Amino acid sequence: MSTGGWRIGTAVLLGALGMSLSACQERPVPDAGSVHFTAAGDLGMGSGARQVLDVVARLKPDFNVALGDFSYKAGAEKEFCRMVTSKLGSDFPFQLITGNHESDGHDGLIGNFAQCLPSRLPGLQGEYGVQWYVDVPQDRPLARIILISPGLEFQDGKELDYSRGSDRWTWTEDAIDGARGAGIRWTLVAMHAPCFSLGKYGCVAGQDITNLLLSKKVDLVLTAHEHVYQRSHQLAVGGDCGWITPGRVEEACISDDGSPATQGKGTVFAGVGTGGLGGHKVRADDPEAGYFAAWSGANTDPALGTLDVTITDARLDARFVPAAGYSFTDQFSIVR
């Protein structure tokens, strides 16, 4: 592992085991070659966000992926950054991808957040905060994490173009293929807005980019935007499922509904809009509900918390860790 923020080994192992005991859950023991990170979006600056940051601090990950929608307050970028660094330290890699609240500037600007919470992972490629990827760890990568911004309006009132064949669609495809060509075991994508959802939004991210990720069998896609937790079965296109269309369930597109899932059979989507605000309801009767394996919302096991992910050469293990006062949990694995 490279230095500069990476804490692989005994400290991470003890931190992870301590958390698993307090949560009364079994946790796989990462070996010396592992990556450990947390992820959540839709934070705000209230007590909920501070509670979730306390969970992150307790878990001691190598880095955190903040899935967009940060301060929910105009002009509060530095205040938000101070909240984060007061909990996690000034050098902790709190990695950013924009949400709609800071892409168009009405609740701060992503560029300002990126200045006071800069990338602290070495080897980053692309435009930090908007569209970028990084291989972790840098010296002997186990995973490539690709962050994109489909479906969001920016200050010019326009969305970035992730339609099929566009420059950003091609960039995303090349980043996925490049990871595979370099022999990197795991490929993850993170973006603020989902396509499939049990909440109030439709396919914000767009069908083209979503079906690209499915066709490439990206291992895990992380989203937020809906202030809920929602985790899908493993989904894939190909064979009898030529294209996934939002608003209905195609059984042929569910490649694996067991546990653990098998790498290469499809993609798991995990929506983690539970970083501090909460408040959205989930609809168990949603026409896309058949794609989902687990969920939590304001009307069903409400929870704030973070997704805790450990990756080794052989497996990806993830669990939802609730903040203090909440009891909802979820865990899933993908194995090679």
Side-chain angles (χ1 to χ4, degrees):
M1 287 289 181
S2 59
T3 58
W6 290 95
R7 296 179 297 279
I8 299 297
T10 303
V12 171
L13 177 58
L14 291 176
L17 288 173
M19 186 59 198
S20 67
L21 291 172
S22 66
C24 297
Q25 293 179 320
E26 293 184 1
R27 179 174 177 80
V29 179
D31 60 23
S34 66
V35 172
H36 176 209
F37 73 93
T38 50
D42 303 293
L43 285 80
M45 297 189 296
S47 60
R50 296 172 190 275
Q51 286 179 292
V52 174
L53 291 173
D54 285 339
V55 174
V56 174
R58 194 162 62 243
L59 291 171
K60 294 181 171 59
D62 303 322
F63 60 94
N64 179 84
V65 178
L67 297 167
D69 285 4
F70 305 135
S71 65
Y72 287 85
K73 181 180 178 182
E77 294 97 328
K78 291 184 178 179
E79 182 182 353
F80 176 85
C81 294
R82 284 194 295 270
M83 177 188 73
V84 171
T85 56
S86 71
K87 294 288 187 178
L88 302 178
S90 58
D91 294 328
F92 177 77
F94 193 82
Q95 302 293 121
L96 305 180
I97 189 65
T98 189
N100 56 292
H101 279 261
E102 50 277 336
S103 62
D104 65 6
H106 74 275
D107 278 337
L109 284 168
I110 182 58
N112 294 339
F113 287 106
Q115 284 184 356
C116 56
L117 288 171
S119 173
R120 300 192 182 279
L121 295 180
L124 183 143
Q125 301 292 316
E127 182 183 358
Y128 178 63
V130 177
Q131 179 179 282
W132 58 276
Y133 72 80
V134 67
D135 299 335
V136 289
Q138 185 186 32
D139 50 355
R140 299 178 67 181
L142 286 170
R144 174 169 292 183
I145 302 179
I146 302 163
L147 296 99
I148 55 177
S149 298
L152 308 183
E153 287 190 0
F154 282 73
Q155 283 189 288
D156 59 4
K158 298 179 180 178
E159 296 181 6
L160 304 183
D161 184 6
Y162 283 89
S163 63
R164 183 177 179 86
S166 67
D167 288 345
R168 292 182 182 274
W169 189 93
T170 300
W171 182 95
T172 306
E173 182 180 41
D174 289 346
I176 297 167
D177 290 345
R180 306 271 170 75
I184 297 173
R185 298 295 193 189
W186 300 91
T187 307
L188 290 71
V189 171
M191 54 191 183
H192 178 64
C195 182
F196 313 115
S197 179
L198 297 176
K200 64 181 184 178
Y201 296 117
C203 183
V204 178
Q207 294 185 47
D208 284 359
I209 193 67
T210 302
N211 276 274
L212 171 66
L213 304 181
L214 288 161
S215 70
K216 294 293 183 179
K217 293 184 172 60
V218 167
D219 297 303
L220 177 63
V221 175
L222 301 170
T223 66
H225 196 47
E226 296 279 11
H227 299 180
V228 304
Y229 174 81
Q230 48 188 352
R231 190 256 301 177
S232 78
H233 298 298
Q234 200 175 38
L235 309 178
V237 295
D240 293 335
C241 176
W243 180 271
I244 291 188
T245 301
R248 66 174 188 261
V249 169
E250 298 286 352
E251 293 294 332
C253 300
I254 301 175
S255 57
D256 194 338
D257 60 1
S259 181
T262 302
Q263 187 187 41
K265 293 185 66 174
T267 301
V268 174
F269 291 78
V272 198
T274 55
L277 288 185
H280 290 183
K281 296 179 179 180
V282 291
R283 296 168 49 205
D285 62 348
D286 188 277
E288 297 171 351
Y291 284 146
F292 288 90
W295 56 79
S296 163
N299 59 330
T300 303
D301 284 336
L304 299 177
T306 188
L307 192 69
D308 183 34
V309 181
T310 298
I311 299 173
T312 68
D313 183 74
R315 59 189 295 139
L316 182 155
D317 293 291
R319 60 173 182 156
F320 180 83
V321 182
Y326 300 97
S327 60
F328 172 82
T329 60
D330 180 45
Q331 54 189 356
F332 62 95
S333 299
I334 306 170
V335 300
R336 295 185 61 216

